[in-house]
Amino acid sequence: MAYSKLGEMLEKGEFILTGELEPEKTCDLSHTIQEAKEMAPYVVAANVTDSPLGIVTINSLAASAIIQRETGLEIIWQQTVRDVNKLGLAGMIMGAHALGIRNVLSLTGDHTNLGDVKESKPVFDLDSATLVKLVREMVDKKSINGHEIECPPTLHVGAAANPNSNPMEAEALKIGRKAEAGVEFIQTQVVYDLDKTIEFLKAIRKYNVPILLGLFPMKSYGIAKGFDTFVPGVDVPKDVLAKWKRIKTDITDKKAQKEAYDQANYEFLKPFITELKSKKLLDGVHCMAVHYPRIFPKLVEVIKG
Amino acid sequence: MVVITTKKEVPEVLEALKDVNKVAIISCGTCAALCQTGGTDGLKYWADILEEKGYDIVIGAVIEDVCDNRVMKKEIRRMADEIAEADAILTASCGLGAQSILTVLSDKYPTKLVITANDTQFMGMTERIGRFYMRCQGCGDCLLNETGGICPIATCAKGLMNGPCGGMVDGKCEVGNYENDCGWVLIYERLKALGRLDLFTKLREPRDWSESGHQREVVFR
Ligand code: SF4
Ligand code: SF4
């Protein structure tokens, strides 16, 4: 049974492209809404993040509902277990349904200690796997702890995976737990290393969960360098960094530079995705290029064929 | 097992003692002595500070097992005159010691001040004096038999039942700047070595807080 466009495409086995929106520390969503409008023609749905890095932003459920209402873009609401206990999460799942949200991504969430409200109590009553289980219980069994929900929620639930994870086997086995909990799709962390990605995707293929591979098209050399330096566990390949640097230094005309970055992203991603698709390891792509919506037409080209 | 304590900052303790003059110091000779927050170290430390500030120290005693009500009943009886004279009791012990004193005193001296000189940190495993580690949080439903003997509640920064989380990089935890081992990777490695990855793969239910989210007691007689 499909409750959303994403659900329908998962059911039909169509190749999926999703995007990502990161609301910030503001009650005004106009920038995020603008970005959503720009990516809407190209993606099936977009994630709305839940205070990443523990840095407080506008509530992700509120933002999800408003963006979806204002733009018509289907939202994958990111729900972390960091800030709310099981009782609260269950209430939010019903609230999400009532607000028209039909997809949820279950995440652990970055620890409060990393963010800007460090003194907050870290909750972690559930974890990402048991939150998946809770959603499936509420949706499929129409109950919580055996207590009936009069009008039950209908949401598709996804979870995350990290192909860069070391030890990889621990991560792969964890996906097995999420599969057992009833996860309906996986979105991965950003990948750059083709061999590692293939190894990981092969290891989790047996769980029969559709996989959307995380990509991070890089808008500029500064972003690429920052990503390489500041995102733990993810390395941007040296030759990619060098290429981005050349674009920055060699091309001075702004418009030509933008086009060169877009083309460079295409040239890096196309063979990567083609290879994984030919190996039948992918069901879609999740693009985390926040504040870079103009790349989407190129991404559509990347995943074509 | 040791209840690990650290000394409170002096101004905080002085603030708590600001309206009193006569102080009895009870310093615990057991766990707190090992942490050098109690015993003769703790007694001398606080006696020197209070004397310098002009307090009248009516008695200073090192007592073993301050957390044991039976011990404290006997000791308070022995110090009856000094306790009666003191405006406040400063306790260089853990939070259990402080409340054991309060429990024992409350019949006879319901309003006697008991001020704690220490911050109680955790139940600790001792490597050597000065190196103590939290390895158990007394959750009331021990998982060690399922996790290769490593506690996920105390060693995972999020106390997860199904780790590792996405915050793990190369076996290290996102909390503490990737310097501490990820508890769930330790569990994975141990279970793998034991040939029990089946236990690792198991989807664990969330912790049941219905029995442990409020005041707990163990009564068997
Ligand atoms: S599971 Fe951990 S916290 Fe609970 S009793 Fe066992 S060692 Fe202690
Ligand atoms: S990295 Fe490991 S220890 Fe740290 S919070 Fe995640 S699972 Fe727990």
Side-chain angles (χ1 to χ4, degrees):
Chain A
M1 177 96 95
Y3 311 120
S4 65
K5 258 191 299 172
L6 178 69
E8 256 167 53
M9 289 185 76
L10 288 167
E11 210 172 62
K12 289 188 192 142
E14 286 172 39
F15 203 80
I16 291 166
L17 174 61
T18 54
E20 183 146 314
L21 297 161
E22 248 181 58
E24 293 175 4
K25 200 190 265 66
T26 170
C27 304
D28 175 11
L29 284 165
S30 50
H31 291 297
T32 317
I33 285 172
Q34 183 52 35
E35 218 171 303
K37 280 181 181 159
E38 283 173 54
M39 73 170 70
Y42 308 102
V43 299
V44 180
N47 294 29
V48 170
T49 55
D50 184 8
S51 294
L53 293 173
I55 296 171
V56 66
T57 67
I58 183 171
N59 173 274
S60 70
L61 178 53
S64 294
I66 293 167
I67 297 166
Q68 184 168 285
R69 188 189 67 206
E70 296 284 310
T71 66
L73 171 61
E74 185 170 303
I75 295 300
I76 301 167
W77 160 49
Q78 293 196 357
Q79 184 182 33
T80 73
V81 298
R82 174 189 55 218
D83 311 319
V84 182
N85 65 9
K86 183 175 183 180
L87 196 155
L89 293 167
M92 287 167 76
I93 292 162
M94 287 188 275
H97 173 97
L99 286 165
I101 301 298
R102 293 294 178 267
N103 313 294
V104 53
L105 188 78
S106 162
L107 297 172
T108 310
D110 300 313
H111 200 281
T112 46
N113 211 288
L114 272 54
D116 60 353
V117 196
K118 293 189 200 311
E119 68 278 22
S120 287
K121 183 175 185 179
V123 178
F124 302 110
D125 187 15
L126 301 191
D127 51 60
S128 53
T130 46
L131 173 57
V132 167
K133 197 173 168 196
L134 174 67
V135 175
R136 291 301 302 262
E137 182 191 352
M138 293 175 71
V139 172
D140 301 342
K141 296 192 186 149
K142 307 175 180 21
S143 65
I144 303 171
N145 288 356
H147 301 292
E148 191 194 331
I149 305 169
E150 197 184 303
C151 169
T154 52
L155 285 92
H156 294 290
V157 59
N162 186 1
N164 310 299
S165 195
N166 171 33
M168 185 183 277
E169 187 186 29
E171 178 73 7
L173 292 174
K174 200 180 85 180
I175 303 309
R177 290 194 209 119
K178 292 182 181 182
E180 188 187 332
V183 77
E184 295 168 90
F185 64 96
I186 293 282
Q187 288 176 323
T188 80
Q189 172 61 281
V190 172
V191 295
Y192 288 102
D193 184 324
L194 187 59
D195 294 338
K196 250 207 278 186
T197 305
I198 291 174
E199 191 190 338
F200 180 75
L201 295 180
K202 278 187 174 160
I204 63 169
R205 219 39 181 161
K206 61 171 176 276
Y207 301 122
N208 276 323
V209 182
I211 299 159
L212 314 189
L213 193 73
L215 298 181
F216 185 77
M218 297 172 294
K219 195 179 178 179
S220 66
Y221 173 66
I223 293 214
K225 185 84 188 123
F227 196 78
D228 186 55
T229 317
F230 297 115
V231 180
V234 189
D235 296 316
V236 181
K238 294 274 165 296
D239 56 324
V240 172
L241 270 183
K243 188 168 179 183
W244 263 243
K245 189 168 188 178
R246 278 200 305 278
I247 295 173
K248 179 188 155 92
T249 47
D250 297 355
I251 307 174
T252 43
D253 178 65
K254 283 288 166 227
K255 187 163 172 276
Q257 199 185 61
K258 276 184 182 175
E259 279 167 10
Y261 278 132
D262 296 356
Q263 184 61 21
N265 275 305
Y266 175 82
E267 282 165 14
F268 173 66
L269 294 172
K270 182 75 188 177
F272 200 103
I273 296 302
T274 307
E275 172 83 14
L276 293 171
K277 278 183 86 173
S278 75
K279 290 195 151 57
K280 302 218 177 314
L281 290 170
L282 278 194
D283 304 281
V285 161
H286 174 57
C287 170
M288 283 177 254
V290 175
H291 310 319
Y292 189 18
R294 73 161 193 271
I295 195 65
F296 278 97
K298 274 262 187 305
L299 273 181
V300 170
E301 291 298 314
V302 165
I303 63 174
K304 241 189 211 158
Chain B
M1 186 273 282
V2 183
V3 176
I4 305 304
T5 46
T6 51
K7 287 192 189 94
K8 276 193 178 293
E9 297 292 331
V10 174
E12 189 189 334
V13 174
L14 292 180
E15 172 66 23
L17 287 169
K18 77 171 189 281
D19 296 325
V20 306
N21 176 29
K22 296 181 176 180
V23 180
I25 304 177
I26 295 180
S27 187
C28 180
T30 319
C31 305
L34 208 65
C35 298
Q36 298 172 357
T37 59
T40 47
D41 292 318
L43 178 59
K44 187 170 171 340
Y45 177 82
W46 289 108
D48 288 351
I49 288 168
L50 295 190
E51 251 159 23
E52 202 219 304
K53 294 280 169 198
Y55 284 89
D56 180 358
I57 300 181
V58 296
I59 193 170
V62 175
I63 296 169
E64 306 248 318
D65 297 327
V66 174
C67 58
D68 187 329
N69 294 172
R70 298 163 304 173
V71 171
M72 278 322 292
K73 245 184 215 149
K74 217 165 64 200
E75 296 292 343
I76 296 279
R77 230 179 283 131
R78 284 209 306 162
M79 301 186 287
D81 292 347
E82 290 86 354
I83 296 292
E85 192 188 346
D87 304 319
I89 296 168
L90 180 68
T91 155
S93 69
C94 67
L96 297 173
Q99 293 179 76
S100 167
I101 295 172
L102 191 76
T103 306
V104 169
L105 281 182
S106 54
D107 278 349
K108 210 162 168 203
Y109 307 104
T111 57
K112 184 83 66 187
L113 269 185
V114 178
I115 302 298
T116 178
N118 292 337
D119 289 316
T120 302
Q121 302 293 345
F122 49 80
M123 296 190 278
M125 184 178 83
T126 310
E127 182 184 303
R128 57 178 165 80
I129 301 305
R131 269 178 200 269
F132 306 106
Y133 302 99
M134 181 177 74
R135 290 290 182 267
C136 168
Q137 290 190 22
C139 73
D141 183 12
C142 194
L143 295 159
L144 289 177
N145 295 341
E146 297 173 40
T147 53
I150 297 166
C151 169
I153 292 168
T155 58
C156 166
K158 298 175 185 172
L160 300 177
M161 300 295 274
N162 292 290
C165 74
M168 181 275 288
V169 176
D170 295 332
K172 300 290 178 185
C173 175
E174 69 180 10
V175 180
N177 216 6
Y178 303 97
E179 279 167 18
N180 303 325
D181 290 331
C182 163
W184 271 101
V185 169
L186 297 178
I187 292 169
Y188 158 75
E189 281 166 352
R190 171 93 178 133
L191 288 174
K192 190 175 164 94
L194 294 175
R196 291 304 307 271
L197 280 180
D198 59 309
L199 287 174
F200 181 81
T201 314
K202 196 178 138 191
L203 176 66
R204 274 164 230 289
E205 289 297 316
R207 266 187 70 189
D208 179 353
W209 285 89
S210 63
E211 293 301 324
S212 59
H214 48 83
Q215 285 193 13
R216 286 154 72 186
E217 49 189 51
V218 172
V219 179
F220 63 86
R221 247 176 48 182

